[in-house]
């Protein structure tokens, strides 16, 4: 059985490797992005990056391993299909997350623009208020001058 998972960081690749090593039913694995494959090099204690779809061997793979609850290898294909389906669901959810993050960024940008417009309107209101205060003072002075004559 092969296993693959989308990765974004060095820690993701390391966690993937540890997950794979813990399951001797997995023969090969790969962490992936859109154009690269990632595996873990224990000796270097760092990830290995390759272009395209490249599979890395699981050092803990045991061809004779039978998962719990499976009496023979007959259900392995069904499990592979279920795993592939779950992986597709995960990828779909990750795509939805990416879309929602983009939408969130757009909304944050629009909110920032609205805040800037509100601030400009506030400043304009404050300037108009100051002008009205000065106009009232001037009218009071004109009134006082008219009464003094």
């Amino acid at each position: 059985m092969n296993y693959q998972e989308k990765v974004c960081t060095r820690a993701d690749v390391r966690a993937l490797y540890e997950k794979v090593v813990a399951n001797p039913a997995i023969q090969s694995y790969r962490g992936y992005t859109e154009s690269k494959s990632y595996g873990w090099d224990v000796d270097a204690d760092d990830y290995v990056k390759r272009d395209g779809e490249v599979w890395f061997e699981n050092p803990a793979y045991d061809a004779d391993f039978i998962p719990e609850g499976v009496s023979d290898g007959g259900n392995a294909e069904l499990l592979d299909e279920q795993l592939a389906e779950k992986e597709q669901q995960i990828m779909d959810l990750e795509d939805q997350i990416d879309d929602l993050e983009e939408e969130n960024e757009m909304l944050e940008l629009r909110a920032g623009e609205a805040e800037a417009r509100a601030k400009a309107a506030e400043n304009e209101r404050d300037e108009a208020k100051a002008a009205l205060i000065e106009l009232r003072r001037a009218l009071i002075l004109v009134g006082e001058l008219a009464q003094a004559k």
Side-chain angles (χ1 to χ4, degrees), residues 6-23:
K6 192 170 189 176
V7 294
C8 297
T9 65
R10 181 179 187 268
D12 291 345
V13 177
R14 177 64 186 246
L16 169 62
Y17 174 78
E18 290 173 359
K19 184 188 308 183
V20 167
V21 169
N23 186 348

Side-chain angles (χ1 to χ4, degrees), residues 94 96-106 108:
E94 287 173 343
Q96 288 178 0
I97 288 170
D98 291 342
D99 292 344
L100 289 172
E101 286 174 347
E102 286 179 24
E103 185 177 344
N104 186 45
E105 287 175 14
M106 178 82 72
E108 286 176 353

Side-chain angles (χ1 to χ4, degrees), residues 12 26 32 34 38 41 47 53 62-64 77 99 120 135 148:
D12 291 345
I26 298 174
Y32 68 91
E34 286 187 32
Y38 296 86
D41 183 343
Y47 67 87
E53 184 175 322
D62 179 0
D64 297 327
E77 280 187 35
D99 292 344
L135 182 59

